[in-house]
């Protein structure tokens, strides 16, 4: 090795390589509906409209989430251009910061062992769920970063003292609250519980109970100012926001499966969390099951209980579930995997190395064959033969590196194999995304077709589908015709007038008839996914041309 595994330069090299793989062709496909396109479009409207306190989605106020994600999206668009790179670059940087924070947490938990801290950072940065979060703009990527920062701040304060770490804890909590509300407390509070719950003084690895000082009070004040200021402003403007935030978007979101159409069974995370952290989830579960509980220190028992199992149970009890909601448990997964594999002998670790690298080779091999599978079976994908090029190169690089590299120890070889696989996985996935945007709910091909036909100056009308991705790609607000699709039921109770009717018409309401007739007289472009309902076929009478693009039909 050019320098020892304990050198911090390995961390910077890993961040540089991982960041390069993320940025490669980052804007080659457009924002995907619904979540990523929604945040992208809200950020665009915030930037162009200049109203940073009242987020708007497709011309209508939208308060489903606190504004920090929207602010950061708008800032990215302002800094890097109103394009997909401007949307995705800050989440990529947030994930790289998470990797650095996992390394820093590893130093605390592993007693300043840099090799193990580096292993935890590499494992975390290569988890499939983390890769997904970096390339899919949501609140969760920022929330996980801020929760990690808060957790590191309080643990570093307990470990070394220093009021700046205490302020980092409170600032991280405040910004997390401004990102997603009370759920931002989960990981930091679990880190505190894990640090002290029934941990004997001899096992606290240097942690000490810190007395209450004025800085605790000032830190709490910092949290209140940062975390509650936006909420306070809106409540002062309209007291109806009290019920809206406390009940509809806290209690109802957690307890009522029908509130946001995100109902999943209780076991959703029990299966999906391990599946999206392969192959490391297998190593963690197997080694934990084979390790006698009595030989595991209280510190690592508490990491397993409070950083992974309790949050997993909490989110499983919630009626509203999406994969990235449980992103905060994966730093614990990475740290625990490093701990359990670190207890293995070299012979045992060698067997894991063979199995894991074999899994990496198999995945890249399947990606090589994907164009063939897509041609033979009805996968709903269209892939050019050259799509196999990058995963094939990945297999060759993986084999050559691990064959030629003169490294005796197993751990560095395993981390190198993991990094190579992740880089080529990211590079290989992007052409697949680009070639199948419509299948993955992107609208760039629709926008390109409208532009090529020089139709972008006409009114754009979308039938019974919420399509913020199209608004982002065209830089204009379409008119949406709601014909029973519940995703188009917008919250208009905070609108001051009726101007929102310019962007949304409910076809079952009589008052929409006149605006609809006027709209059709303007020779618009109509987009229909699948087919119109039989009773709406009359809408097509004024259109002379049509083009089918995937599941969409464009009429003009």
């Amino acid at each position: 090795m050019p320098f020892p595994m304990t050198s911090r330069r390995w961390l910077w090299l890993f961040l540089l390589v991982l960041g390069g793989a993320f940025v490669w062709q980052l804007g080659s496909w457009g924002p995907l509906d619904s979540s990523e396109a929604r945040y992208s479009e809200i950020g665009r409207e915030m930037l162009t409209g200049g109203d940073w306190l009242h987020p708007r989605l497709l011309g209508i106020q939208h308060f489903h989430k606190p504004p920090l994600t929207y602010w950061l999206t708008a800032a990215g668009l302002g800094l890097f251009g109103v394009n997909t790179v401007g949307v995705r670059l800050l989440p990529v940087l947030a994930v790289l910061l998470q990797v650095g924070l996992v390394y820093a947490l590893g130093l605390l938990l592993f007693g300043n062992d840099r090799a193990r801290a580096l292993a935890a950072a590499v494992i975390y940065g290569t988890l499939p769920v983390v890769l997904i979060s970096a390339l899919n703009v949501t609140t969760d990527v920022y929330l996980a970063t801020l929760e990690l920062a808060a957790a590191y701040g309080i643990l570093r304060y307990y470990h070394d003292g220093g009021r700046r770490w205490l302020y980092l804890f409170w600032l991280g909590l405040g910004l997390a609250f401004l990102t997603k509300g009370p759920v931002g407390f989960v990981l930091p509070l679990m880190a505190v519980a894990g640090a002290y719950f029934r941990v004997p003084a001899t096992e606290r690895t240097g942690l000490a109970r810190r007395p209450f000082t004025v800085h605790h009070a000032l830190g709490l004040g910092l949290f209140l100012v940062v975390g509650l200021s936006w909420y306070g402003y809106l409540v002062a403007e309209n007291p109806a926001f009290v019920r809206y935030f406390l009940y509809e978007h806290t209690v109802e979101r957690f307890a009522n499966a029908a509130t946001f159409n995100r109902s999943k069974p209780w076991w959703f995370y029990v299966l999906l969390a391990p599946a999206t952290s392969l192959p490391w989830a297998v190593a963690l579960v197997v080694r934990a099951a084979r390790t006698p509980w009595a030989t595991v220190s209280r510190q690592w028992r508490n990491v397993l209980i409070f950083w992974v199992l309790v949050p997993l149970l909490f989110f499983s009890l919630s009626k509203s579930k999406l994969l990235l909601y449980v992103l905060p448990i994966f730093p614990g997964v990475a740290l625990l995997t490093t701990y359990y594999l670190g207890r293995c002998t070299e012979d045992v670790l060698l067997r894991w190395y063979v199995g894991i690298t074999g899994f990496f080779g198999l995945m890249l091999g399947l990606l090589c064959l994907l164009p063939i599978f897509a041609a033979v079976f009805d996968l709903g994908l269209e892939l050019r033969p050259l799509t196999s090029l990058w995963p094939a190169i990945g297999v060759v690089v993986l084999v050559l590196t691990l064959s030629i590299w003169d490294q005796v120890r197993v751990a560095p070889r395993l981390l190198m194999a993991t990094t190579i696989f992740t880089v080529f996985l990211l590079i290989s996935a992007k052409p697949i995304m680009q070639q199948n945007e419509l299948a993955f709910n992107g609208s760039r091909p629709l926008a390109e077709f409208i532009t090529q036909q020089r139709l972008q100056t006409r009114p754009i009308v979308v039938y019974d589908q919420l399509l913020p991705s199209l608004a982002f790609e065209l830089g204009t607000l379409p008119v949406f015709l709601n014909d029973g699709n519940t995703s188009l039921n917008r919250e208009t109770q905070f609108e001051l007038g009726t101007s929102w009717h310019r962007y949304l018409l409910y076809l079952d309401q009589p008052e929409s008839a006149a605006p609809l007739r006027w709209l059709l007289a303007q020779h618009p472009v109509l987009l229909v996914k699948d087919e119109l309902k039989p009773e709406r076929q009359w809408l097509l009478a004024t259109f002379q041309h049509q083009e089918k693009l995937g599941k969409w039909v464009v009429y003009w």
Side-chain angles (χ1 to χ4, degrees), residues 44-61:
R44 187 191 71 83
E45 292 181 42
M46 183 174 284
L47 180 66
T48 57
D51 186 349
W52 296 77
L53 297 176
H54 304 88
R56 291 184 175 275
L57 174 62
L58 301 169
I60 299 173
Q61 293 186 86

Side-chain angles (χ1 to χ4, degrees), residues 516-517 520-521 523-524 526 528 532-546 555-556:
L516 180 57
R517 285 195 299 271
L520 293 175
H523 304 291
L526 175 65
V528 179
L532 285 166
K533 293 181 180 179
E535 63 271 25
R536 305 300 182 193
Q537 292 293 325
W538 63 270
L539 290 170
L540 304 180
T542 60
F543 298 99
Q544 299 178 350
H545 308 282
Q546 70 179 62
Y555 298 92
W556 73 99

Side-chain angles (χ1 to χ4, degrees), residues 54-121:
H54 304 88
R56 291 184 175 275
L57 174 62
L58 301 169
I60 299 173
Q61 293 186 86
H62 187 86
F63 298 103
H64 284 195
K65 294 290 191 300
L68 186 61
T69 301
Y70 308 140
W71 290 346
L72 291 172
T73 304
L77 295 172
L79 290 171
F80 307 110
V82 182
N83 51 53
T84 314
V85 172
V87 168
R88 294 194 179 118
L89 193 55
L90 289 184
V92 165
L93 296 177
V95 165
L96 296 179
L97 180 56
Q98 289 173 32
V99 173
L101 286 167
V102 170
Y103 176 83
L105 285 166
L107 290 178
L108 292 179
L109 296 177
F110 289 115
N112 211 37
D113 186 332
R114 290 186 177 181
R116 296 196 181 192
L118 173 65

Side-chain angles (χ1 to χ4, degrees), residues 403-420:
S403 300
I404 298 174
W405 188 30
D406 185 17
Q407 172 60 45
V408 176
R409 293 186 59 201
V410 177
R413 297 170 68 87
L414 180 56
L415 297 180
M416 180 63 73
T418 303
T419 303
I420 293 172

